[in-house]
Amino acid sequence: MKEARQAPINSLWDDAAAASMSEPELLLYRSNLLGSDLRITNFGGGNTSAKVMMADPLTGEQVEVLWVKGSGGDLGSIKLDGFSTLYMDKLQALKSRYRGLAHEDEMVAYLPHCTFNLNPRAASIDTPLHAYIARKHVDHMHPDAVIAIAACANSRDLTQKIFEGELGWLPWQRPGYDLGLKLEQLSQSQPQLKGIILEGHGLFTWGDTAKSCYETTLATIKRAEEWLNANVRQPVFGGQALAPLPAEQRSALAAKLMPLLRGKISRDEYKLGHFDDSAAVLEFVCSRDLEPLAALGTSCPDHFLRTKIRPFVIDFDPGHPDLDAVVAGLDEALERYRADYIAYYERCKHANSPKVRDANPVIYLIPGVGMLSFAKDKATARIAGEFYVNAINVMRGANGVDTYVGLPEQEAFDIEYWLLEEAKLQRMPKPKSLAGRIALVTGGAGGIGQAVAKQLLQEGACVLLTDIDAEALAEAKGALAKVAGKDSIASAVANITSEEAVEEILTASALQFGGVDLLISNAGIASSAPLEDTTLEIWQRNQDILVKGYFLASRAAFRMMKQQKLGGSMVFVASKNGLVASAGASAYCTAKAAEIHLARCIALEGAPHGIRVNVVNPDAVIRGSRIWDGKWKQERAQSNKIDADDVEAFYRDRSMLKLSVLPEDIAEAVYFLASDKAAKSTGNILNVDAGNAGAFTR
Ligand code: NAD
């Protein structure tokens, strides 16, 4: 994740590190430095380039090659393979093909013909913007401070005033081939320029070396920041209209609202949520100008592509915090927002525009509380929130020194529904089977819990992993984050037998992701003792963890699922021992049998709400299981009169199929029952035990 650093923007260039780098490596180095600071450019925003002499693979002759950030990706984490490479002479020759502004989109199809060295990285729409500026190194950034100047009504005069002729200025134009030619023309006609501000968009800067380009970019942003800081009128946003609620109340309110809201906007596609109550957000949502500024919409194309042109302001008074009143008015307010969005589409659409997209808001501003953002996955929701913070910074700067202007509606539409943008969306891979779903996995630090979490993550779900063992949980979360990325996994330490702790897990799930769709109730222990040696303590421990714990987790999840009105799916990881009585394990077997029956009872109550409940019964999952690390293995070995090392082979040979059961096998069954593949199954039991006749169900 990028940092929004507070320290001044200073050069991080390390001459010693750069000394041995080739030109492409210097481009990469510069790009990573620029992309690691949110003040310099937003996520996925901006691009960099270098024109490098290289040997042509066909002729061996030296040719000029444009290395430019390719389509997609982010400068902060880009690697060399994220850059496209194109012959400069071919890019120049393309000019003879250009038929004028009305036909500029067709130029995109020519770019693959300019590819150097069979590089598969697709060239981005911004490629001509870099190619035609006749400088060796070019940066294109989206710094909040510069966009603030670019989004002012008097942006041209301000650019002159602040940069005293060092930067040129071009009026708003959708990025594309034609803008590339305009940049060429201006940079050539005024050779003294160090860069150009694009109205309503961002900044171009250049240099003869990678280092000088980087430093010019930084110096330009710094100058803009310092000028704004010195000149922004106080108080910003018309001053504070209301005081923010205390932090705890803010997050409690957000956690209550998120599942309700999520339910209302996830009818066609499951959404995931993100909550932000940082100082920058609170200043805006508590200000007098909140409503009028929010209505103006965002300016930079990158911003509104992520955030939609306008946010949704929730009617909430932190002076009289009445959540019920908010909820009562939500349906109507959301309907108004959707109707507005559809009217905007109808007003602006062209004959060949793509179909209208999801009309629900992305950004939700709550006075005194903060901001929620919802999108089809967690990273997109988080990034949309970050973009709106960029937009807030832009509004603060622009309105503080001049008049902030959003993009004209038609221009915004033409970007949002640009056929090239639509083609990008169409190229996106099909969503995974659990995309947008939120899973809560109890006992998540254990063998089966981790395997289940891994599979659900791989199928596109977000997972809140919970366990009583803090150390093992942190380790499991770290390992799973490597599989699925940090955004999709969260963890919460909790004892599943505590009513309060279970409520807190559900609150954490709501706050972290927006609610809950799948509950995998799996936390457990095993114990064995002949009846006469079964102490009340052993008995109670089994009842507490395996019965009370499953009851508490499912009750809390059931309540949240009902609120969301999106159905849901629960899977209880019980045991073969819940069906087959086992001598010397009465406490465990009885508790597991109760678990299974509890699942069936909830299946009955859940069906009218689309909530399914099923059971997976593992048996003898020795590898990976922490249950089998401890006393249980010794006890089972003793009771079966075998060596502890032979336990796995013993159970394998005891099974009908003569196979060992692995955590991944249980995960596969859990995934099946949790997912829509089992949409028509509830109240069922799936044994994953390599065959055990005693466990055959009716
Ligand atoms: P495991 O010990 O590896 O994992 C169980 C996890 O539950 C552990 O991380 C533990 O810390 C956690 N836990 C225990 N008490 C808790 C509490 N009070 N609150 C929160 N978390 C708690 O074991 P596993 O093999 O992965 O077992 C997972 C489930 O599968 C259990 O319910 C178990 O009974 C069941 N099961 C396992 C087997 C097997 O052979 N491994 C067979 C049948 C059933």
Side-chain angles (χ1 to χ4, degrees), residues 513-572:
F513 297 123
V516 72
D517 305 303
L518 317 173
L519 168 69
I520 316 302
S521 196
N522 161 78
I525 47 154
S527 73
S528 101
L531 179 66
E532 286 169 274
D533 300 338
T534 301
T535 60
L536 190 56
E537 197 222 330
I538 294 177
W539 178 265
Q540 197 54 51
R541 189 166 142 72
N542 277 279
Q543 289 290 317
D544 277 351
I545 298 172
L546 302 176
V547 187
K548 182 174 157 193
Y550 279 52
F551 154 69
L552 288 175
S554 52
R555 188 184 64 176
F558 193 92
R559 286 176 178 156
M560 196 170 275
M561 287 172 184
K562 262 184 75 180
Q563 278 186 336
Q564 290 177 149
K565 299 199 176 90
L566 296 170
S569 177
M570 301 189 191
V571 182
F572 282 17

Side-chain angles (χ1 to χ4, degrees), residues 467 489 665 678:
D467 204 287
I489 177 121
D665 301 320

